[in-house]
Amino acid sequence: MTVAIGILATGCSQQQARKPITHTGGSFMKESVMRNKKLIAGEEAVIDSIIKSDTINKYTASKKGYWYYYVTQNTKDTLHPKKGDIAYFDYEVNDLKGNVIYSDVELRPQVYRVDKQNIMMGMRDAIKLMKKNEKVTFLFPSHMGYGYHGDNKRIGPNTPLICTITLNDFKPDTEKAAAKPGTQTQVKPVLDKQ
C-alpha cells in the first residue's frame, strides 16, 4: 500500500505537456505579408513618379531597395567607410513632398562608428556607398527608414523619406588600432539629436 501511494504521488507530480486549445492557419501572417507588400508597392510607385518627374538628376537603384543621386560626387578618391571606421557626416530628412522634417543644422554634427552603432537602416548602408566630401540624396521606402513605428517624434509610422547626407570625413577606428591584445575599448555613443 505504501509503495502504491508513493508511485501515485510521483506520477501526479510530473507535468504533462498541454496541447494548444486552438490552431491558427497562419491567416494573420499571410494578411500581414500582403499589407506590407501593398504598402511597399505604393511607396515605390510614389518614389518612381518622383524619379520620373525629376529631369535634372540621374538616379541609381541600390541593391537594398532605395534610390539615390549625387549632389556632389568625389571622383578622385576610391575609399569608402567600412565596418569600424568613424564617419563624420551631416544630413537632412524630408518627406516625399520635400517638406523638411529635420534640418541638417539641427542634426549636425553626426559621428557614427560604421556598423557598430544603431542608426536608420537606410543610412547605415548609404554611408558605406559614399566617399569623403560627397553629398548624396537618398529616397528611402519606410522599411529602410523608421518602419511601422516611426521615430516617436516627427516621423510617423510607415513614412518614406528623402535624406540628403554629406560625408565630411571618415577615419579608421584609432582606438581599435591602438588597443593591445586582451584589452577592451569603450564605444562612444552616436550623436543623435532627434
Side-chain angles (χ1 to χ4, degrees), residues 66 79-82 85-91 110-115 119-132 134 136 138 140 165-170 190:
Y66 59 86
L79 298 176
H80 301 270
K82 61 186 181 309
D85 287 349
I86 310 297
Y88 304 91
F89 68 99
D90 300 320
Y91 72 107
Q110 293 289 313
V111 179
Y112 166 60
R113 187 164 290 175
V114 179
D115 287 342
I119 62 171
M120 183 176 69
M121 187 187 330
M123 284 179 45
R124 184 180 182 122
D125 188 67
I127 287 172
K128 291 186 286 187
L129 292 176
M130 298 177 71
K131 297 180 226 168
K132 181 179 172 180
E134 284 189 330
V136 183
F138 298 90
F140 295 122
I165 303 172
T166 304
L167 181 61
N168 300 313
D169 199 3
F170 65 92
V190 70

Side-chain angles (χ1 to χ4, degrees), residues 23-95:
H23 298 279
T24 59
S27 64
F28 174 78
M29 288 303 290
K30 288 178 186 174
E31 290 171 10
S32 179
V33 167
M34 291 307 294
R35 273 192 310 273
N36 286 336
K37 284 183 178 181
K38 277 184 178 179
L39 176 73
I40 291 169
E43 291 176 2
E44 288 179 351
V46 173
I47 290 171
D48 188 52
S49 69
I50 291 170
I51 292 170
K52 285 179 179 175
S53 67
D54 185 350
T55 57
I56 298 170
N57 298 300
K58 181 184 176 201
Y59 289 80
T60 302
S62 76
K63 294 177 183 177
K64 300 280 184 166
Y66 59 86
W67 296 260
Y68 62 95
Y69 67 86
Y70 289 90
V71 177
T72 306
Q73 189 169 13
N74 176 352
T75 56
K76 294 178 183 177
D77 293 328
T78 58
L79 298 176
H80 301 270
K82 61 186 181 309
K83 185 175 184 174
D85 287 349
I86 310 297
Y88 304 91
F89 68 99
D90 300 320
Y91 72 107
E92 179 172 280
V93 181
N94 297 283
D95 64 20

